[in-house]
Amino acid sequence: MSLIQRTAAELADALAAGETTSVELTQLHLDRIAAVDGVVHAFLHVDAEGALAQAAESDARRAAGALLSALDGVPIAVKDVLATEGLPTTCGSKILEGWIPPYDATVVARLRAAGLPILGKTNMDEFAMGSSTEHSAYGPTHNPWDLERIPGGSGGGSAAAVAAFEAPLAIGTDTGGSIRQPGAVTGTVGVKPTYGGVSRYGLVALANSLDQAGPVTRTVLDSALLHEVIGGHDPKDSTSIDQPLPDLVAAARLGATGDLSGVRVGVITELSGDGWQPGVMDRFQESVDLLVKAGAEVVEVSCPNFVHAMAAYYLILPAEASSNLAKFDAMRYGLRVWPEGKPDASAEEVMRASRDAGFGDEVKRRIILGTYALSSGYYDAFYGQAQKVRTLISRDFEAAFEKADVLVSPTAPTTAFKLGEKLDDPIAMYLNDLATIPANLAGVPGISVPSGLAEEDGLPAGFQILAPALADDRCYRVGAALEAALLAQWGGPLLDKAPALEGA
Amino acid sequence: MPEITRDEVAHLANLARIDLSDAELDHLAPQLSVILESVASISGVAGDDIPPTSHALPLTNVFREDVVTPSLTPEQALSGAPAVDEQRFSVPRILGEEA
Amino acid sequence: MTMTDTLVGFDDVLASYDPALGLEVHVELNTNTKMFCGCPAVFGGEPNTQVCPTCLGLPGAMPVVNAKAIESAIRIGLALNCEIAEWCRFARKNYFYPDMPKNFQTSQYDEPIAFEGYLDVDVDGEMFRVEIERAHMEEDTGKSLHVGGATGRIHGADHSLVDYNRAGIPLIEIVTKPIQGAGEKAPAVARAYVSQLRDLILALGVSEARMDQGNLRADVNLSLAPKGSGVLGTRTETKNVNSFRSVERAVRYEMQRHAGILDAGGSILQETRHWHEDTGITTSGREKSDAEDYRYFPEPDLVPVAPSRESVEELRGTLPENPLLKRARLQGDWGYTDLEMRDVIAAGVVGLIEETVAAGASPQAARKWWLSELGRRANDAGLDITDLDVTPAQVAAVQALVDSGSLNDKLARQVFDGLLAGEGTPEEIVAARGLAIVSDEGALSAAVDAAIAANPDVADKIRDGKVAAAGALIGAVMKEMRGQADAGRVRELVLEKLS
């Protein structure tokens, strides 16, 4: 097996054993990017020079015996929604084309402090609005399993980069499923931590009360390792939890032993039925059976208010986003467009023209929707009501977690659909996040683990595990147990079944 | 829940400072109506006795000591500016002719 | 652009209408750092040197609340007899403006930190209770420089240059309830409220509270209602009123302007108006159709503020003396008559006198300088007396020179000229201008002899016991000495020599 196909944990071991160097590993990934990213388009910006310099520093630290973390020297890709000092940060939008932040997001600062060379910035739906990366102003990312299909979104770039072995690790962000749903449709692992578990400082906000950054990897253990690097309290984020993280790596290792005795698994009634692809449901049921085999007790739980989650989400998100995106006004940074034929235009006219030219359709849709939801006269009916529905959904979770230690569902209702298929049908697009949204509304952690290929199309499906707030370790334990059982069944990683990409 | 009219979309675009073309307005208004219709189910779901949740975890009193931390250099601060003059952000004239 | 407003005589306004006032005062706190980031909150830095990702509104940056600003807000609330919220939040006030980095102001909406209070103000010796609706926390905006067109004016400018050093500095906005029933005293009540609120803020030590520097900014709401109707009319909000005098004048002007419109059968447009210090009038601000739709919602990047009752009580213990009780105490300490005390309150110089006395001057001397000499100069310069470039310590130093016999009152006035002209300390001015009293006995004696010789008939009268005639000789001597003599000593010499 070539080095780039190994897991991050294995690469860390290879580095420790002197089998390879960070410079070599980084170069191998840069080569892979050069070979396949022309067709995958996972990256918006590749920083070969910077990554190699960081890798050389890592190798020097290793020689001096002064490693910064377990993942020191293992390269990583970062979603383009996190501010990176000296590296372009566009959020997939024309309005930020060429913007180079003068500061690092806390997550990025922690990656640097842990010695992970940053390969580049990954593609995404504009300002993370979407479930397919088709809303990127720089063109869509293609699913490595089938280049005609979407890689999920908004973090399709990070998921595709990891699935296509362009990076062993990546950072994503998840507002309604943007880490987990791309994980599901690309056969990779994605984790949305407990809200407040990973700093949002430097994460260009979509919906502040829902956003969370998290790991995008090929294995559960890799996610745990990365989560421990980026997680924990940050005084620059007022909503950050001032408590130590649970021992996530230990939980993943415990789960990998395959023993889930005494663990109660709740299957959410509302997240199945009409509109759920049979092949996805088959893989889901198979996974549930494997958990039972590992000793888990399975119960069915009902979360009756989950049916309102989508509506609440599409009121809260646009409302917060409409305000967050007001700062993109062509005054201090980003695109400045003068209205045609008006060289003496006022600031306000330039704002209007720039925002029209700089934002894509989906962003405009949601800004208008959010402006409407916050307008006087509608606030109580929309935003206010949506916040109450959040309470109801949190209560559903509380009740469910009395009966079960973790809750499970398919991560997304379908496998990857064709590029363009749902592009101008917002509602159909929004339905992709049906199963992932409740966790964001309630702030609870969730993981998506590959559950195999759907029979009808041979494309990956995902298995979602949700845990109570602050109990992220449960996601890792159950996720690692399922992963171990499935790997045994498949005889190797699911990604081995993916078609080879040209140039590979 | 009221259907959203083309005029209303134009008004909202004005509030949001986006110059939408006629074609964009024609395209957006019906889409927004469909979206609003689908989220309309939310009204009446939660009664007056249900408190709103703004954040999943109820933190309070997160403060910072009143101690100065380093600012950006002016070069950094102005690095992304479309136009700079006299170490300031240069912006188009602030009021329109009507002022 | 502006049509000439028809003004109704002030007494005629009162004959037909009842005024209702509302005051919104913004106080810029003197914290070390900004409201939501660690950038310095001081004035005068080079442009864009006190900015960071947060106060510059860079994508991804997040706010963290300054603990000291919360403390100051609570102390202001307590000093205004307000309830302190057990739980409150910040909210986003959404509107676009180039000097506002995020295009929303982080403020408080329906959950202010302090609410339902009052301030009793002394208006010409009469107490008037001003009810406080709320005091809430928010952040300041950047500052724009308008280039091209008329210098510095927004109208006709080609473009603007923005400095965000001020963006994010903590502000407390104090909003009164409608003040009704003030009648003819409405302008004076407005002035007294702002002036006495400033005294309170200074006593709390939470702001420099200088109106001329924009640390304290007043917006004046005014409406008229038909006399005796008890209703509230349509109001206008006059911004940019930057001195106590202007507060009073702006209220008066708006009362007269509203009456002009109403008398002519017109109706008042609810709008923002701008005060023009130079011409003493208000003009209409830009009308914005969407101005009222700020789309407030709770700031999702911040968590609620829930001051414990213990911490509130602890802060209550740090409040300065109640201003009313304090005034009674000061009047006793200073030995002022009721009339004298009323005058110093009306002139807004209680604090200045207190500081001057603390610096060593006698209460009567301090009152004399501030009330007459310096009050007149402030008036001539069109400044609030607190904005005059003379400090209480300097006044006390001048008085000390008078007390020691080095200056007389006339020379002291010239020292004040020098202070206002920025010529240095009182001692330096005395030296530079050669103002010290001549205490050379030989020179004085010679001047007295000369005066006696030049006015033999006056001298004879004095020799005959008409001591009152000595004034003429003293005057002659003082003239000869160009005022730089101690008149008391001259008198002694004259009487000695002619006894």
Side-chain angles (χ1 to χ4, degrees), chain C residues 156-437:
Chain C
D158 293 332
H159 63 285
S160 299
L161 300 177
V162 192
D163 167 18
Y164 292 102
N165 281 352
R166 198 181 67 177
I169 289 184
L171 293 177
I172 306 297
E173 180 175 343
I174 301 161
V175 183
T176 67
K177 291 186 179 172
I179 304 166
Q180 293 174 279
E184 61 175 347
K185 285 195 172 174
V189 167
R191 177 188 179 135
Y193 168 74
V194 177
S195 158
Q196 286 164 48
L197 178 60
R198 178 181 184 274
D199 289 345
L200 186 67
I201 298 295
L202 280 178
L204 286 164
V206 294
S207 170
E208 305 315 316
R210 290 193 62 156
M211 286 193 91
D212 61 328
Q213 302 220 331
N215 306 139
L216 193 87
R217 294 170 230 160
D219 298 340
V220 176
N221 293 329
L222 185 107
S223 63
L224 293 184
K227 201 164 181 63
S229 68
V231 301
L232 283 173
T234 304
R235 68 188 158 83
T236 52
E237 181 178 3
T238 303
K239 293 197 179 274
N240 194 29
V241 192
N242 289 332
S243 72
F244 305 142
R245 277 161 46 85
S246 304
V247 168
E248 184 165 3
R249 291 167 71 203
V251 170
R252 210 180 161 87
Y253 182 86
E254 279 295 284
M255 284 172 68
Q256 294 176 284
R257 190 183 68 83
H258 279 218
I261 294 167
L262 295 171
D263 279 359
S267 54
I268 304 297
L269 185 65
Q270 181 162 342
E271 61 174 353
T272 298
R273 299 190 62 88
H274 293 287
W275 170 251
H276 299 272
E277 184 69 48
D278 44 356
T279 50
I281 65 165
T282 68
T283 57
S284 176
R286 190 165 66 130
E287 233 186 299
K288 281 166 77 183
S289 55
D290 55 37
E292 296 301 310
D293 197 351
Y294 291 126
R295 288 161 284 135
Y296 283 101
F297 72 104
E299 167 56 82
D301 278 340
L302 292 172
V303 302
V305 176
S308 72
R309 295 302 95 180
E310 297 75 50
S311 68
V312 170
E313 286 318 305
E314 222 167 272
L315 288 172
R316 198 189 296 279
T318 70
L319 293 184
E321 194 178 352
N322 174 306
L324 288 179
L325 296 177
K326 182 175 175 181
R327 275 183 199 156
R329 175 178 64 77
L330 287 176
Q331 188 182 347
D333 289 353
W334 294 344
Y336 288 0
T337 65
D338 287 351
L339 188 64
E340 285 172 337
M341 195 65 196
R342 188 188 301 175
D343 287 346
V344 300
I345 291 169
V349 295
V350 175
L352 292 169
I353 291 177
E354 191 185 6
E355 287 179 59
T356 309
V357 170
S362 73
Q364 285 302 343
R367 186 180 68 86
K368 176 183 71 185
W369 291 124
W370 284 112
L371 209 54
S372 55
E373 185 61 23
L374 296 168
R376 183 179 55 74
R377 286 166 189 264
N379 208 42
D380 290 349
L383 288 174
D384 280 326
I385 194 157
T386 46
D387 297 334
L388 210 56
D389 276 328
V390 175
T391 66
Q394 289 170 331
V395 173
V398 170
Q399 181 58 36
L401 291 170
V402 173
D403 291 341
S404 71
S406 306
L407 288 178
N408 56 27
D409 284 5
K410 190 174 165 204
L411 290 169
R413 288 189 190 101
Q414 295 184 50
V415 177
F416 287 124
D417 291 338
L419 284 170
L420 289 170
E423 292 172 12
T425 65
E427 289 77 6
E428 286 164 359
I429 293 164
V430 166
R433 292 194 170 202
L435 298 177
I437 281 177

Side-chain angles (χ1 to χ4, degrees), chain A residues 314-324 366-384 386-387, chain B residues 12 15 36, chain C residues 92-94 104 109 292-300:
Chain A
Y314 277 101
L315 288 169
I316 291 170
L317 180 146
E320 294 183 7
S322 69
S323 171
N324 291 330
R366 296 204 199 178
I367 289 177
I368 302 290
L369 188 61
T371 305
Y372 181 76
L374 289 177
S375 280
S376 44
Y378 299 113
Y379 180 89
D380 286 338
F382 288 118
Y383 194 75
Q387 299 272 44
Chain B
L12 294 167
L15 266 179
L36 277 177
Chain C
R92 291 186 182 180
K93 181 180 183 179
N94 293 287
F104 60 78
Y109 180 46
E292 296 301 310
D293 197 351
Y294 291 126
R295 288 161 284 135
Y296 283 101
F297 72 104
E299 167 56 82

Side-chain angles (χ1 to χ4, degrees), chain A residues 248-329:
Chain A
L248 307 173
V249 172
R253 293 196 197 282
L254 173 65
T257 63
D259 180 12
L260 289 180
S261 336
V263 176
R264 297 170 305 162
V265 173
V267 176
I268 304 168
T269 318
E270 285 75 13
L271 297 181
S272 64
D274 285 351
W276 294 75
Q277 192 178 319
V280 170
M281 290 313 297
D282 288 348
R283 291 283 80 81
F284 174 70
Q285 193 51 53
E286 179 184 53
S287 294
V288 171
D289 294 344
L290 286 172
L291 295 180
V292 172
K293 230 166 155 185
E297 178 198 331
V298 172
V299 293
E300 186 152 320
V301 294
S302 173
C303 295
N305 290 294
F306 279 20
V307 296
H308 304 299
M310 181 82 95
Y313 179 78
Y314 277 101
L315 288 169
I316 291 170
L317 180 146
E320 294 183 7
S322 69
S323 171
N324 291 330
L325 298 183
K327 64 170 69 73
F328 300 99
D329 65 356

Side-chain angles (χ1 to χ4, degrees), chain B residues 6-70:
Chain B
R6 192 177 182 282
D7 282 353
E8 206 161 358
V9 174
H11 167 70
L12 294 167
N14 181 47
L15 266 179
R17 299 286 186 273
I18 304 176
D19 258 343
L20 290 181
S21 64
D22 285 347
E24 282 179 305
L25 285 174
D26 291 339
H27 190 64
L28 263 175
Q31 280 185 339
L32 288 170
S33 288
V34 171
I35 297 171
L36 277 177
E37 203 177 301
S38 76
V39 299
S41 63
I42 205 164
S43 64
V45 166
D48 291 342
D49 55 325
I50 306 296
T53 297
S54 63
H55 288 90
L57 298 174
L59 301 175
T60 53
N61 295 338
V62 176
F63 303 130
R64 169 179 64 76
E65 289 307 308
D66 185 26
V67 175
V68 173
T69 55

